[in-house]
Amino acid sequence: MLKKFSDFFKPVPQFDLSFEPFVKVISHLSLQFMKANDSHLEDLLNLERRVYRGRTPWDRFSFRNELKKHHNSLYLVVYDGSQLVGFIGARFSEQEGHITNIAISPEYQHRKIGSFLVSMMIDYGRRNNCTVITLEVRMDNLVAQTAYKKLGFKPNIVRKNYYYTEKVDGLNMVLDLKGDGFK
Ligand SMILES: CC(C)(COP(=O)(O)OP(=O)(O)OC[C@H]1O[C@@H](n2cnc3c(N)ncnc32)[C@H](O)[C@@H]1OP(=O)(O)O)[C@@H](O)C(=O)NCCC(=O)NCCS
């Protein structure tokens, strides 16, 4: 069969991204974890402004677009009462879980919330038989790189000007879930 036709008939991979909201105490804070939806958009943009000194690397369109991809994406938000504390997003393919975005509000950073969110996505990767979990991080973001290394991620390749508006390189980091990396 011609490749393009065989691709057409290829079954769409199914991912188990089921999620039930829950409450968990982390660093003495009783935090609510839930799936992100359009009603969280304003809070997400405000959190980005607080984290990135007024900038929103992901604008409303990018968030809204990602939140529609229920089939292979999972976006989670964490609230302390009515205050958005942080969020994480990941996109899954047959071999790879890719963390697309993560941020913790400045006043809640360094309390293990980010590590917990990344660990959750690692669990989803395992559940969906992924070989690796990957992400990109700015070369100058040593705090985030250290956090990922503590979770087992290893530096992989440098992507030149990955953050193209600021001309900053991105470091691709990989967590090997099967001991044999990319196939
Ligand atoms: C990077 C980020 C997601 C980590 O989440 P977090 O909840 O703050 O991190 P954790 O509390 O889980 O800490 C994990 C490790 O990160 C490092 N770390 C986190 N915050 C730190 C800080 N303020 N100063 C120094 N190291 C810090 C430490 O090594 C820490 O390990 P330790 O607790 O054993 O010291 C969060 O700090 C953040 O949102 N930063 C701004 C946005 C950003 O950089 N996003 C990542 C884009 S790729």
Side-chain angles (χ1 to χ4, degrees), residues 100-118:
T100 52
N101 206 341
I102 176 171
I104 306 295
S105 186
E107 62 277 27
Y108 289 90
Q109 288 176 11
H110 214 175
R111 296 189 191 193
K112 293 289 177 201
I113 301 167
S115 298
F116 180 72
L117 285 175
V118 175

Side-chain angles (χ1 to χ4, degrees), residues 133-169:
I133 304 291
T134 62
L135 54 84
E136 264 82 31
V137 55
R138 287 172 62 116
M139 282 301 281
D140 57 6
N141 190 347
L142 300 182
V143 166
Q145 287 175 33
T146 304
Y148 304 141
K149 279 180 189 159
K150 284 184 176 171
L151 291 165
F153 284 80
K154 301 252 180 326
N156 185 28
I157 51 170
V158 177
R159 300 197 194 282
K160 200 84 195 137
N161 286 333
Y162 184 80
Y163 302 94
Y164 55 91
T165 46
E166 298 152 281
K167 300 213 171 1
V168 174
D169 296 345

Side-chain angles (χ1 to χ4, degrees), residues 15-178:
F15 300 103
D16 176 5
L17 301 178
S18 52
F19 178 86
E20 287 300 322
F22 63 90
V23 174
K24 181 176 171 63
V25 176
I26 301 181
S27 302
H28 308 291
L29 297 163
S30 179
L31 302 171
Q32 304 138 246
F33 291 76
M34 58 193 103
K35 242 178 167 171
N37 61 44
D38 280 358
S39 76
H40 302 119
L41 272 174
E42 285 313 316
D43 287 350
L44 286 165
L45 292 166
N46 282 331
L47 186 143
E48 272 203 307
R49 285 187 197 103
R50 287 200 304 280
V51 170
Y52 298 110
R53 289 188 230 111
R55 292 184 304 111
T56 53
W58 276 37
D59 58 15
R60 188 183 301 274
F61 175 80
S62 313
F63 272 120
R64 194 174 271 150
N65 210 28
E66 278 299 305
L67 293 181
K68 279 191 204 137
K69 296 178 186 160
H70 300 289
H71 155 67
N72 65 344
S73 285
L74 182 63
Y75 280 78
L76 303 177
V77 286
V78 187
Y79 276 83
D80 178 12
S82 60
Q83 164 95 20
L84 179 64
V85 164
F87 68 88
I88 190 166
R91 206 181 294 149
F92 294 85
S93 63
E94 274 170 303
Q95 300 214 335
E96 180 181 357
H98 182 72
I99 296 175
T100 52
N101 206 341
I102 176 171
I104 306 295
S105 186
E107 62 277 27
Y108 289 90
Q109 288 176 11
H110 214 175
R111 296 189 191 193
K112 293 289 177 201
I113 301 167
S115 298
F116 180 72
L117 285 175
V118 175
S119 302
M120 283 185 73
M121 290 306 182
I122 296 171
D123 286 346
Y124 275 97
R126 290 212 167 90
R127 189 192 293 187
N128 285 286
N129 241 347
C130 291
T131 313
V132 287
I133 304 291
T134 62
L135 54 84
E136 264 82 31
V137 55
R138 287 172 62 116
M139 282 301 281
D140 57 6
N141 190 347
L142 300 182
V143 166
Q145 287 175 33
T146 304
Y148 304 141
K149 279 180 189 159
K150 284 184 176 171
L151 291 165
F153 284 80
K154 301 252 180 326
N156 185 28
I157 51 170
V158 177
R159 300 197 194 282
K160 200 84 195 137
N161 286 333
Y162 184 80
Y163 302 94
Y164 55 91
T165 46
E166 298 152 281
K167 300 213 171 1
V168 174
D169 296 345
L171 177 65
N172 171 263
M173 297 186 77
V174 177
L175 174 69
D176 192 347
L177 295 181
K178 299 263 167 90

